[in-house]
Amino acid sequence: MLPTGEGIDARPEGVALQLLIVDDHPLFREALASAIHLAFPHANLLEADGIRAACDVLARTPAIDLTLLDLSMQGVTGFDGLVTIRTRFPRIPILIVSGLEEPRIMREALHHGAAGFVPKAVDKATLTRAISEVMNGALFMPPNLAGIPETTPARARKTPLADRIALLTPQQMRVLMMIRQGKLNKQIAHELQVGDSTVKAHVSEILRKLEVISRTQIVIETAYLDFDQSNGSFVAG
């Protein structure tokens, strides 16, 4: 988690955290809402029973901070619901809360743009941590599953670093450089003259495109590279 002053901790006084719960089971929406209220008693929770309803809520409520989405809903195939919301509302992070617990599915969800994955069987402490970390611009996977090796070793499966970096937009490249300098989201937002939420969205995209799950891993992955400002690219150091 980032230092105090970032993410949830940096919200202006009197501004409530707004979360959208998307699940087609009313009892689970109620249970999830109760668990969230225990950790974030002042949060404003909205609900939707499907992807279309979720898009309607997101369209008329632009101040939503986080969407908690179930993958397995009636009428939804695979990651279609995630991709739909992600495409229409790219700046709103999505935390998957699902009964599916296969590491492969979790990693695929991250590749499709989710900011984190929480199995429905986790305890309230893990759910709280997941919400906090995603709100701070990080990606989240349960600690007991994040390190499980895939069928093919991750190192062999990863796209070459140069190709991953090439996926970044110019603005994301600027954010990446500032992350490497140890700057916090608020400092980055000030220097780029953008909002904190915009920086968080950029950080999440950088994590996803570089196929890492933390800012520390960003620094480690790019540690041996220098930024050639003459041509705007990374070169071996």
Side-chain angles (χ1 to χ4, degrees):
M1 189 178 300
L2 302 183
T4 300
E6 294 288 294
I8 292 175
D9 297 326
R11 296 184 66 78
E13 185 177 353
V15 177
L17 182 68
Q18 294 207 85
L19 308 179
L20 171 62
I21 299 172
V22 186
D23 194 293
D24 58 359
H25 289 88
L27 287 178
F28 181 76
R29 292 201 305 270
E30 182 179 348
L32 185 55
S34 297
I36 292 172
H37 270 309
L38 286 176
F40 308 102
H42 301 296
N44 180 29
L45 303 183
L46 298 93
E47 298 182 9
D49 61 3
I51 301 302
R52 178 177 295 181
C55 289
D56 289 343
V57 173
L58 290 167
R60 67 173 182 264
T61 317
I64 288 177
D65 298 289
L66 175 67
T67 296
L68 296 96
L69 173 68
D70 183 17
L71 288 177
S72 304
M73 292 188 289
Q74 187 173 3
V76 178
T77 302
F79 298 100
D80 288 353
L82 167 61
V83 172
T84 297
I85 295 177
R86 180 75 176 141
T87 301
R88 289 191 57 184
F89 307 95
R91 292 192 176 185
I92 300 176
I94 300 172
L95 176 62
I96 301 299
V97 183
S98 173
L100 305 172
E101 298 188 24
E102 295 179 36
R104 176 187 60 81
I105 294 176
M106 295 184 186
R107 294 187 178 94
E108 283 295 313
L110 296 186
H111 285 309
H112 280 83
F117 198 112
V118 178
K120 289 184 176 180
V122 300
D123 56 27
K124 293 177 183 176
T126 301
L127 174 64
T128 300
R129 178 183 169 191
I131 293 173
S132 297
E133 292 197 8
V134 169
M135 286 296 300
N136 283 337
L139 300 183
F140 181 86
M141 282 183 67
N144 62 321
L145 292 171
I148 293 179
E150 302 175 69
T151 304
T152 305
R155 186 171 297 178
R157 290 185 69 257
K158 272 192 175 181
T159 306
L161 180 58
D163 293 340
R164 284 180 273 147
I165 289 175
L167 297 173
L168 302 179
T169 66
Q171 190 78 321
Q172 289 166 1
M173 191 75 80
R174 296 185 190 98
V175 173
L176 172 58
M177 289 305 303
M178 294 182 189
I179 291 174
R180 295 176 80 223
Q181 295 166 6
K183 293 182 179 179
L184 302 177
N185 284 2
K186 291 200 321 188
Q187 295 171 309
I188 296 173
H190 177 73
E191 291 198 22
L192 296 181
Q193 297 185 334
V194 297
D196 286 354
S197 61
T198 299
V199 174
K200 290 179 201 172
H202 283 319
V203 172
S204 293
E205 277 298 283
I206 291 169
L207 291 167
R208 185 178 67 83
K209 289 179 179 179
L210 294 189
E211 301 177 26
V212 297
I213 62 172
S214 72
R215 296 166 79 107
T216 300
Q217 286 187 337
I218 290 176
V219 176
I220 293 172
E221 285 268 340
T222 62
Y224 71 96
L225 299 175
D226 290 323
F227 190 68
D228 183 356
Q229 297 193 16
S230 65
N231 62 16
S233 63
F234 278 104
V235 296

